[in-house]
């Protein structure tokens, strides 16, 4: 049984994340979406809200699970008895940081393998930060985030 962990802040979940999670769910027996606590000092969505959103979006996918963690990612992955860390690559700009993290995590625990996945082309430019920025300025984010996220953004940001 291959268990994968997909870590991130997911503030909020975007259709880019959804795409990667669905690809992971097809490739691995189980994928744990692991939300990092205290990643940002002032997140837009609380931890409970982010957990709730991801659980709702994937309620029909029995092999997608949501968990939270802090501290070293490799410690969380080992604790969960997972073998794989999934990361998404959108552009060359993601590569340098992701490569550095993957090598450090490999040094910290060589039994855990980082796997990079690319999303469908139409999602390659989406980030949570950009979604929040565009939405706050009155821009349309329909189709870039799950409907539930769009609704929650409207409640929160107006
Ligand atoms: N549109 C996307 N396509 C593919 N991978 C993505 C996409 N957005 C994020 N990822 C990947 O998902 C993982 C978690 O990322 P994270 O939670 O930082 O999302 P983010 O959209 O980059 O948010 P932020 O803008 O706050 O950094 C990272 O591996 C990131 O590269
Ligand atoms: Mg990011």
């Amino acid at each position: 049984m291959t268990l994968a962990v997909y870590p991130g802040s997911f503030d909020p979940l975007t259709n880019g994340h959804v795409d990667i999670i669905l690809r992971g769910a097809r490739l691995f027996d189980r994928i744990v979406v692991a939300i990092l606590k205290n990643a940002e000092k002032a997140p837009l969505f609380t931890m409970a809200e982010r957990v709730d959103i991801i659980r709702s979006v994937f309620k029909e996918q029995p092999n997608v699970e949501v968990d939270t963690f802090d501290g070293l990612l490799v410690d969380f992955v080992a604790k969960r008895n997972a073998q794989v860390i999934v990361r998404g690559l959108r552009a060359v700009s993601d590569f340098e940081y992701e490569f550095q993290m993957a090598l450090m995590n490999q040094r910290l625990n060589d039994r855990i393998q980082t796997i990079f996945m690319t999303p469908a082309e139409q999602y390659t430019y989406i980030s949570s930060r950009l979604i929040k920025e565009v939405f706050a300025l009155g821009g349309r984010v329909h189709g870039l985030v799950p409907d539930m996220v769009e609704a929650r953004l409207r409640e929160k940001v107006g």
Side-chain angles (χ1 to χ4, degrees):
M1 155 126 177
T2 309
L3 180 64
V5 170
Y6 178 42
S9 40
F10 307 103
D11 183 38
L13 184 74
T14 70
N15 282 344
H17 297 132
V18 170
D19 181 288
I20 296 292
I21 294 165
L22 292 175
R23 283 169 203 276
R26 286 199 297 269
L27 203 54
F28 306 108
D29 294 305
R30 194 173 184 78
I31 183 163
V32 178
V33 182
I35 312 175
L36 175 61
K37 294 180 198 163
N38 307 321
E40 246 185 291
K41 282 193 191 101
L44 181 61
F45 289 93
T46 66
M47 206 57 186
E49 288 171 324
R50 283 179 274 165
V51 168
D52 181 53
I53 288 168
I54 303 173
R55 282 211 181 117
S56 305
V57 168
F58 292 97
K59 61 178 186 293
E60 310 292 340
Q61 263 78 37
N63 67 335
V64 176
E65 190 190 317
V66 184
D67 201 350
T68 64
F69 76 104
D70 53 13
L72 278 180
L73 172 61
V74 288
D75 290 346
F76 172 77
V77 174
K79 191 186 81 189
R80 290 297 320 252
N81 288 313
Q83 301 89 342
V84 173
I85 296 170
V86 166
R87 295 290 287 176
L89 277 185
R90 285 164 286 200
V92 180
S93 51
D94 278 337
F95 180 81
E96 196 167 302
Y97 174 74
E98 293 293 340
F99 192 60
Q100 192 177 35
M101 292 305 292
L103 286 170
M104 179 55 86
N105 285 332
Q106 186 160 284
R107 186 191 163 91
L108 293 170
N109 187 335
D110 197 25
R111 284 169 304 186
I112 299 168
Q113 182 61 49
T114 299
I115 295 203
F116 296 108
M117 297 207 280
T118 47
E121 232 177 310
Q122 69 265 33
Y123 301 133
T124 48
Y125 64 95
I126 305 172
S127 70
S128 297
R129 182 174 304 276
L130 191 57
I131 293 291
K132 286 183 279 193
E133 206 172 300
V134 167
F135 189 86
L137 297 172
R140 198 174 132 84
V141 298
H142 188 75
L144 304 180
V145 294
D147 290 345
M148 186 186 186
V149 171
E150 203 182 332
R152 295 287 181 97
L153 278 168
R154 217 172 287 124
E155 284 166 23
K156 205 171 269 282
V157 187

